[in-house]
């Protein structure tokens, strides 16, 4: 990552609404230039920095320090950074003013005019706090401290900590999603969830309120013919209200027709509107029958790609909303219908474009790698918040709380680790009973709705042989070498579930002259050129296509990232081989005939 010496700011970066699933017309984007200071010795609190930063530089929010887009240098070993901004008169008067931070990695403390107002743990979950009691006439000073650690006891995904695998990348610290203010009433809509029953043709809207209330809730759903549907009910002293609408001849959300229904939710007291939010939903159902995956009652073959979610210049943060849209468009153009967002909960704007353009998504929790009470606490809290944040998006068709037993290395010997994985599965089902959960993607199945395997066998014969052996005996080792992992844990038999190959491929091709083959990471032997790369890709996709038990696959991976050069695209989103040639291979996989 590189930095410019001084920011060249033209307009507000990332000006679009950061939470498109739930919007109000009035809000204030705080992205842009902030005062910034690193705190490598962590002396800021003791020296009174919450009141004012002593010698700040400038950073461009929402880009993490150390990235080119942030224009702010930050040593990789710095574990505390500070932000400061003064805001003038707010263009509203309201009961409460919420300060939102989309995400900041990892522990965030906020002061308003010297008063501490919030403390948050978690590098991916949103931060929201009411700052109204601490505001004065003008001006108002916001100070934010964000600290991180190198510990693998916290969920950090593929950000390198105190040890680095060949598959890890440079870490981040600090704010990496939009900061914004929003005026709201004391009793307001805080979240909305949707559940569609295909057989009953009924949509249930679950409105979460900021507090217990007797307010009335009115739901308006705009139909494709322009006619609205309404339902109204009372909260009756509760903070969550479920209201249902029958929908005749619903236009179902599907990758080939990602229709979205506009939704308006109003809160009403004494026949006066007190809050109004705009939302949307896609009507679709997910189920499993006879080991097949059903979307809207019809079998669907998942053609997925592993997507790490790193971007030129912004690293963890796309520099523009168009860059997020482009990643969705490229994924679809390659012939995939699913993205597995790997070890990162993505910006909600990505989900918005997936909703609109018809890309299915698996959302995956960033892992820790050391099992401890700290990891149990942090992961449970953050996972819960993220499922609640995103479950309204129709594009999400699966939750993945764990990957390859990371942080759960000893499930076979230590019962508490297996209990934790199983408990997160059931917690997720309690939060969202409508979606499949892949509890531990890759191997060591204990509980879950699909059986998923990670196999990087470099020939079609080896891949088919391995899959055949595992389907005969799931308890056998999934790969050779040290620290073997079984396909399923003792007492668990997933053979009745849909079988998916959720990591495969990983074929490398160096297109970046700055990366030598000796420094690169990939699977198998390196093809000599683009033609050999395409031939190897076709061979493995043929093996997948010929395995009739498979209900889908996830190819590694969409783009190169640092030393990992096994992307179908390079880091700047340029295809390594003609895109149409890849699309032809990928679209035919799962259709039955042998690929050419």
């Amino acid at each position: 990552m590189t930095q410019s010496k001084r920011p060249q700011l033209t307009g507000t970066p990332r000006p679009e609404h950061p939470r498109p699933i739930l919007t109000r017309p009035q809000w204030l984007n705080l992205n842009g230039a902030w005062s910034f200071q690193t705190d490598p010795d962590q002396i800021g609190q003791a020296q009174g920095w919450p009141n004012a930063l002593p010698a700040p530089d400038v950073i461009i929010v929402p880009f993490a320090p150390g990235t080119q887009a942030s224009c702010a240098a930050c040593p990789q070993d710095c574990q505390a950074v500070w932000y400061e901004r003064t805001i003038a008169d707010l263009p509203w008067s309201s009961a409460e003013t919420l300060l939102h931070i989309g995400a900041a990695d990892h522990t965030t403390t906020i002061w308003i005019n010297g008063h501490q107002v919030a403390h948050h743990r978690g590098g991916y979950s949103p931060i929201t706090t009411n700052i109204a009691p601490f505001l004065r006439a003008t001006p108002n000073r916001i100070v934010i401290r964000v600290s991180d650690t190198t510990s693998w006891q916290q969920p950090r995904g593929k950000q390198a900590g105190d040890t680095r695998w060949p598959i890890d990348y440079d870490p981040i610290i600090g704010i990496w999603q939009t900061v914004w203010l929003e005026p709201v009433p004391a009793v307001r809509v805080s979240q909305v969830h949707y559940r569609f029953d295909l057989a009953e043709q009924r949509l249930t809207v679950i409105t979460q309120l900021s507090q217990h209330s007797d307010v009335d809730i009115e739901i308006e759903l705009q139909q494709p013919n322009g006619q609205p549907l309404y339902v109204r009910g009372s909260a009756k002293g509760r903070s969550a209200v479920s209201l249902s609408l029958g929908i005749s001849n619903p236009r179902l959300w599907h990758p080939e027709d990602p229709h979205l229904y506009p939704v308006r939710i109003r809160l009403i007291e004494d026949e006066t509107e007190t809050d109004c939010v705009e939302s949307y939903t896609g009507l679709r159902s997910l189920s499993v029958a006879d080991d097949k995956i059903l979307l809207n009652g019809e079998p669907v073959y998942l053609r997925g790609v592993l997507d790490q979610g790193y971007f030129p210049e912004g690293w963890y943060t796309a520099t523009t909303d168009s860059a997020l849209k482009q990643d969705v468009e490229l994924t679809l153009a390659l012939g995939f219908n699913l993205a597995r967002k790997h070890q990162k909960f993505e910006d909600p704007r990505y989900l918005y474009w997936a909703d609109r353009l018809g890309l299915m998504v698996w959302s995956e929790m960033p892992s820790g790698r050391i099992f401890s009470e700290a990891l149990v606490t942090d992961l449970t809290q953050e996972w819960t918040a993220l499922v609640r944040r995103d479950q309204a998006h129709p594009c999400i068709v699966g939750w993945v709380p764990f990957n390859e037993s990371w942080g759960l290395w000893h499930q076979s010997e230590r019962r508490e680790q297996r209990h934790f994985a199983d408990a997160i599965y059931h917690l997720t089902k309690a939060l969202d009973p409508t979606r499949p959960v892949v509890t531990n993607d890759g191997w060591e199945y204990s509980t879950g709705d699909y059986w998923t395997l990670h196999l990087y066998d470099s020939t079609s014969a080896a891949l088919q042989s391995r899959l055949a052996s595992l389907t005969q005996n799931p308890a056998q080792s999934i790969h050779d070498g040290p620290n073997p992992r079984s396909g399923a844990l003792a007492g668990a038999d997933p053979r009745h579930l849909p079988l998916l190959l959720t990591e495969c491929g990983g074929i490398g091709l160096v297109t970046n002259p700055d990366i030598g083959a000796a420094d690169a990471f990939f699977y198998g032997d390196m093809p000599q050129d683009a033609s050999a790369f395409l031939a190897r890709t076709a061979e493995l996709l043929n093996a997948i296509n010929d395995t009739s038990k498979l209900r889908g696959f996830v190819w590694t991976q969409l783009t190169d990232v640092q030393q990992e050069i096994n992307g179908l695209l390079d880091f700047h989103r340029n295809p390594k081989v003609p895109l149409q040639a890849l699309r032809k291979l990928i679209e035919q996989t799962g259709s039955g005939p042998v690929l050419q």
Side-chain angles (χ1 to χ4, degrees):
M1 292 185 288
T2 59
Q3 307 85 32
S4 302
K5 289 186 177 180
R6 299 297 298 177
Q8 301 295 319
L9 185 62
T10 56
T12 301
R14 297 298 304 272
E16 65 282 347
H17 198 290
R19 189 190 59 197
I21 201 70
L22 191 72
T23 66
R24 295 180 177 87
Q26 199 167 28
W27 65 289
L28 180 64
N29 193 320
L30 295 184
N31 290 345
W34 286 59
S35 296
F36 173 77
Q37 196 152 351
T38 61
D39 187 8
D41 299 320
Q42 304 206 42
I43 59 174
Q45 286 182 273
Q47 294 191 356
W49 291 12
N51 297 309
L53 301 187
D57 201 341
V58 176
I59 190 170
I60 304 302
V61 170
F63 307 110
T67 63
Q68 182 178 346
S70 76
C71 302
C74 184
Q76 277 199 10
D77 60 354
C78 180
Q79 295 184 22
V81 294
W82 292 73
Y83 301 77
E84 180 181 7
R85 177 160 174 172
T86 299
I87 54 175
D89 294 334
L90 295 175
W92 59 67
S93 59
S94 61
E96 297 185 359
T97 293
L98 301 182
L99 172 63
H100 299 276
I101 302 174
D105 192 27
H106 171 266
T107 301
T108 303
T109 308
I110 302 170
W111 291 265
I112 302 295
N113 297 320
H115 299 280
Q116 182 176 324
V117 300
H119 185 76
H120 176 90
R121 287 182 60 83
Y124 301 87
S125 52
I127 304 166
T128 297
T129 185
N130 175 29
I131 65 173
F134 307 96
L135 295 175
R136 55 196 183 198
T138 191
N140 288 280
R141 181 184 294 111
I142 304 172
V143 175
I144 301 170
R145 178 184 186 268
V146 187
S147 63
D148 203 355
T149 74
T150 58
S151 172
W152 285 110
Q153 291 186 106
Q154 73 186 42
R156 60 184 310 116
K158 295 183 74 169
Q159 298 181 60
D162 50 1
T163 60
R164 180 164 184 159
W165 290 353
I167 58 170
D168 288 332
Y169 313 134
D170 288 347
I172 69 158
I173 186 174
I175 296 168
W176 64 277
Q177 287 185 26
T178 290
V179 182
W180 51 295
L181 295 175
E182 183 181 34
V184 292
V187 179
R188 59 187 176 275
V189 177
S190 58
Q191 288 180 332
V192 60
H193 307 148
Y194 300 103
R195 297 176 183 174
F196 178 65
D197 187 310
L198 179 64
E200 298 291 333
Q201 295 193 352
R202 182 168 296 275
L203 174 69
T204 298
V205 183
I206 304 172
T207 304
Q208 301 283 345
L209 303 177
S210 57
Q211 59 183 267
H212 303 292
S213 175
D214 292 319
V215 70
D216 276 6
I217 298 97
E218 182 183 81
I219 310 294
E220 177 186 344
L221 182 85
Q222 196 71 31
Q223 298 186 93
N225 62 9
Q227 294 299 311
L229 292 175
Y230 294 94
V231 64
R232 180 168 170 171
S234 172
K236 297 180 180 178
R238 295 168 294 173
S239 60
V241 182
S242 296
L243 298 172
S244 295
L245 302 101
I247 303 174
S248 301
N249 302 313
R251 184 174 172 182
L252 302 179
W253 188 96
H254 189 278
E256 296 176 2
D257 182 23
H259 180 74
L260 300 175
Y261 282 74
V263 176
R264 177 179 291 118
I265 305 173
R266 301 168 65 229
L267 301 188
I268 301 168
E269 283 189 272
D270 298 327
E271 296 307 313
T272 299
E273 179 184 291
T274 58
D275 191 23
C276 181
V277 297
E278 302 287 338
S279 183
Y280 63 84
T281 188
L283 307 182
R284 57 108 185 92
S285 71
L286 296 163
S287 58
V288 171
D290 299 326
D291 83 356
K292 293 182 174 62
I293 302 169
L294 304 182
L295 174 65
N296 301 329
E298 299 294 331
V300 62
Y301 190 90
L302 299 181
R303 300 187 308 274
V305 68
L306 199 72
D307 183 354
Q308 311 281 1
Y310 287 75
F311 300 90
E313 299 183 10
W315 201 229
Y316 238 37
T317 309
T319 54
T320 66
D321 192 46
S322 296
L324 291 169
K325 181 184 180 186
Q326 179 191 37
D327 272 12
V328 174
E329 291 173 331
L330 283 169
T331 301
L332 293 168
L334 282 163
F336 297 107
N337 59 18
L338 170 78
R340 176 183 163 211
K341 298 300 294 191
H342 187 42
Q343 290 298 294
K344 179 192 181 191
F345 251 77
E346 193 53 272
D347 187 322
R349 294 292 307 188
Y350 177 93
L351 301 177
Y352 165 75
W353 287 115
D355 290 338
R356 285 195 59 181
L357 299 175
L359 178 65
M360 296 182 286
V361 175
W362 279 6
S363 287
E364 179 180 322
M365 183 66 198
S367 295
R369 296 181 194 165
I370 297 176
F371 184 81
S372 64
E373 289 187 10
L375 179 64
V376 169
T377 299
D378 282 355
L379 190 146
T380 302
Q381 177 178 313
E382 190 160 16
W383 177 251
T384 299
L386 288 165
V387 170
R388 286 173 172 163
R389 185 196 79 171
D390 289 346
Q391 65 174 286
H393 289 278
C395 68
I396 296 180
V397 296
W399 301 113
V400 185
F402 297 100
N403 173 66
E404 293 184 346
S405 302
W406 292 2
L408 305 168
W409 304 113
H410 307 291
Q411 291 185 80
S412 296
E413 301 83 28
R414 296 180 61 184
R415 290 178 297 172
E416 64 269 32
Q417 295 189 9
R418 185 168 178 178
H419 284 315
F420 180 42
D422 292 347
I424 290 293
Y425 168 82
H426 291 293
L427 172 63
T428 308
K429 285 299 204 181
L431 294 169
D432 177 15
T434 70
R435 289 180 174 89
V437 178
V438 180
T439 307
N440 181 31
D441 192 31
W443 49 64
E444 293 190 327
Y445 173 91
S446 176
T447 188
D449 298 313
Y450 299 153
W451 186 23
T452 62
L453 300 172
H454 294 178
L455 295 172
Y456 285 102
D457 294 274
S458 58
T459 68
S460 59
L463 176 62
Q464 289 182 317
S465 175
R466 185 84 67 176
L467 283 172
S469 297
L470 282 163
T471 51
Q472 289 177 5
N473 178 18
Q476 77 171 34
S477 175
I478 193 171
H479 56 74
D480 302 320
N483 302 315
R485 300 287 172 179
S486 62
L489 295 174
D493 187 349
R495 285 176 290 184
H496 64 289
L497 297 173
L499 174 65
L500 296 101
L501 184 63
T502 49
E503 282 191 30
C504 60
I507 301 167
L509 184 65
V510 175
T511 58
N512 182 352
D514 296 331
I515 298 178
D519 302 319
F521 180 84
F522 52 93
Y523 294 89
D525 298 325
M526 170 77 76
Q528 295 302 307
D529 53 31
S531 177
F533 177 88
L534 187 62
R536 178 80 62 76
T537 300
E539 180 185 17
L540 285 177
L541 288 172
N542 264 309
I544 295 168
N545 192 59
D546 290 344
T547 307
S548 60
K549 288 183 177 294
L550 287 175
R551 301 296 176 245
F553 69 94
V554 176
W555 190 267
T556 303
Q557 59 186 345
L558 182 64
T559 75
D560 292 351
V561 186
Q562 286 194 320
Q563 77 283 350
E564 278 203 276
I565 49 81
N566 49 24
L568 296 172
L569 315 174
D570 68 18
F571 190 50
H572 294 279
R573 279 52 178 174
N574 301 304
K576 294 183 178 180
V577 297
L579 190 147
Q580 287 301 321
L582 288 170
R583 181 188 180 99
K584 180 180 178 181
L585 293 173
I586 292 161
E587 279 191 328
Q588 291 183 40
T589 305
S591 62
V594 176
L595 304 175
Q596 300 296 323

